[in-house]
């Protein structure tokens, strides 16, 4: 199959850290940059985002995301996300969104990666682990023993966890919930 070519302004192309680095080695004027690790259809969305936002930067998205994604992004970004990336705003139809996340990561388009990852965060917000697994077709790979350990623990991703208070489940860091200490009230009497 013949490679697909897209035309993008040099300034828009510089939103991609990878392409920006590659352009430094190219003379001014027209440059051809091969992007073999991204499907043409997916690349189209990435380039559309870059062309729109290179001179119209999106506002940073709060982390952690406290509201639905729709409440914190521009109308253009809503249209961009919920027309094709999340097909017709149906979160079960998110294959293109995942492809764009992978492409934005590969091409190092930080603003697009932030937007698309925030969209996923919004999609999983207030869902149970079972609902999230169903949404993303993720197999539950915990054993029943691991599941019971997790129910008494909090998921934690920091490497700074105290070894005594954590359980390692195959590379997953789990922090044990601290049990509340029972308080004893001691009434002191000032009498000697």
């Amino acid at each position: 199959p013949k490679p697909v070519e897209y035309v993008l302004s040099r300034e828009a192309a510089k939103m991609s850290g990878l392409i920006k680095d590659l352009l430094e080695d190219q003379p001014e004027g027209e440059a051809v940059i091969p992007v073999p690790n991204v499907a043409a259809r997916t690349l189209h969305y990435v380039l559309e985002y870059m062309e729109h936002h290179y001179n119209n930067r999106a506002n940073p998205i709060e982390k952690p995301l406290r509201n639905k994604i729709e409440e914190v992004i521009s109308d253009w970004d809503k249209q961009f996300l919920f027309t094709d990336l999340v097909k017709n705003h149906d979160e079960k139809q998110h294959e293109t969104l995942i492809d764009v996340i992978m492409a934005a990561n590969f091409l190092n388009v930080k603003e697009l990666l932030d937007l698309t990852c925030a969209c996923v965060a919004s999609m999983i917000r207030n869902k149970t682990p079972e609902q999230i697994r169903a949404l993303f077709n993720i197999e539950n790979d915990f054993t029943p023993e691991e599941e019971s350990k997790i129910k008494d623990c909090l998921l934690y991703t920091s490497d700074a966890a105290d070894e005594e208070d954590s359980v390692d489940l195959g590379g997953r860091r789990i922090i044990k919930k601290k049990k509340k200490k029972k308080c004893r009230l001691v009434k002191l009497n000032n009498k000697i």
Side-chain angles (χ1 to χ4, degrees), residues 108-121:
N108 191 14
V109 183
K110 183 185 178 327
E111 293 89 348
L112 178 57
L113 187 60
D114 287 348
L115 174 68
T116 51
C117 287
C119 184
V120 171

Side-chain angles (χ1 to χ4, degrees), residues 9 11-12 15 49-58:
S9 70
E11 287 306 308
M15 282 191 74
Y49 181 89
M50 291 166 56
E51 194 66 60
H52 176 78
H53 278 295
Y54 83 93
N55 65 354
N56 179 26
R57 294 294 172 121

